[in-house]
């Protein structure tokens, strides 16, 4: 769903930009006195700037509060389980592969060889968590699975010929189920 929203929003804004360019192109062919146009332009610029600040401020305030990272980290620190993840050409190794709905999990991600990208996809193949898998570094990413099913870990960083086979299925069991 988010992908299609992003897609249509992008199309819409590209269209707006194209419209603005064609307007500017059309206007540039007319000969007019420069002074009044400049004055008008400065006025528009002020409103444009303030409008932009207002819109961006509003969008940031709304979207930042929806970022799950902080909550997820706090949850995982309290009672989450730690799973060490090692990426290598061309597979993923997990220290624990038992996952249950509702249990906060902290993935500690590193790499044995080159840089990989740890991408966790839900049952609808939507990306729900990601971090870099880098040799000699450990990056943590926390998540609480909210529905059972088969999730996938995919490599998000091109790491040579076998990159596309770096896929691992992980099965998340329902709460209380076996
Ligand atoms: Cu890789």
């Amino acid at each position: 769903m988010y992908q299609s929203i992003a897609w249509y929003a992008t199309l819409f804004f590209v269209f707006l930009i194209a419209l603005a360019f064609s307007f500017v192109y059309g206007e540039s062919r007319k000969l007019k006195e420069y002074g009044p146009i400049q004055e008008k332009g400065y006025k528009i610029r002020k409103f444009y700037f303030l409008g932009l600040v207002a819109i961006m401020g509003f969008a940031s305030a709304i979207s930042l509060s929806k970022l799950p990272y902080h909550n997820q980290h706090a949850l995982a620190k309290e009672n989450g389980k730690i799973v060490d993840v090692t990426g290598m050409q061309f597979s993923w190794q997990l220290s624990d592969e038992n996952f249950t709905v509702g249990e906060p999990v902290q993935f500690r991600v590193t790499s044995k060889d080159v840089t990989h990208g740890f991408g966790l996809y839900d049952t609808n193949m939507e990306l729900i968590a990601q971090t870099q898998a880098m040799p000699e570094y450990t990056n943590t990413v926390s998540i609480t699975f909210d529905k059972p099913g088969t999730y996938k870990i995919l490599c998000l960083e091109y790491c040579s010929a076998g990159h596309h086979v770096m896929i691992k299925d992980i099965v998340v069991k329902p709460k209380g189920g076996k």
Side-chain angles (χ1 to χ4, degrees):
M1 188 187 89
Y2 293 117
Q3 280 96 333
S4 54
I5 292 175
W7 170 241
Y8 287 116
T10 307
L11 277 184
F12 176 70
F13 286 117
V14 165
F15 174 73
L16 277 191
I17 290 168
L19 214 64
F21 269 105
S22 52
F23 175 76
V24 170
Y25 178 71
E27 289 293 299
S28 71
R29 293 161 66 109
K30 298 175 193 161
L31 278 176
K32 277 186 197 163
E33 199 68 53
Y34 187 60
I37 296 175
Q38 194 181 34
E39 210 169 291
K40 208 167 121 193
Y42 282 153
K43 259 185 215 158
I44 292 173
R45 193 166 69 174
K46 199 166 88 187
F47 283 114
Y48 178 73
F49 174 71
L50 290 176
L52 208 61
V53 167
I55 290 171
M56 296 311 267
F58 183 67
S60 300
I62 285 186
S63 55
L64 279 178
S65 66
K66 290 213 189 313
L67 280 179
Y69 309 133
H70 185 75
N71 287 344
Q72 288 293 340
H73 273 294
L75 261 178
K77 260 185 204 129
E78 274 168 24
N79 53 1
K81 75 164 169 185
I82 291 162
V83 176
D84 294 308
V85 180
T86 309
M88 67 200 81
Q89 288 164 325
F90 299 98
S91 62
W92 295 102
Q93 202 174 60
L94 272 64
S95 64
D96 186 344
E97 295 188 21
N98 298 304
F99 299 101
T100 313
V101 170
E103 179 188 41
V105 182
Q106 188 180 56
F107 290 102
R108 298 197 168 165
V109 184
T110 188
S111 168
K112 238 182 193 173
D113 37 48
V114 299
T115 298
H116 300 279
F118 173 85
L120 184 60
Y121 287 77
D122 71 4
T123 51
N124 301 319
M125 282 310 280
E126 281 190 12
L127 186 66
I128 53 169
Q130 72 93 25
T131 189
Q132 289 295 104
M134 302 188 288
E136 291 173 38
Y137 283 87
T138 301
N139 288 318
T140 62
V141 62
S142 305
I143 192 97
T144 305
F145 295 106
D146 57 3
K147 50 181 191 269
T150 304
Y151 291 64
K152 279 182 197 303
I153 298 169
L154 265 63
C155 184
L156 298 182
E157 181 86 49
Y158 183 70
C159 56
S160 89
H163 166 68
H164 62 287
V165 301
M166 263 186 87
I167 300 172
K168 183 166 185 75
D169 288 356
I170 57 174
V171 177
V172 177
K173 283 179 277 182
K175 224 176 194 165
K178 284 260 160 181

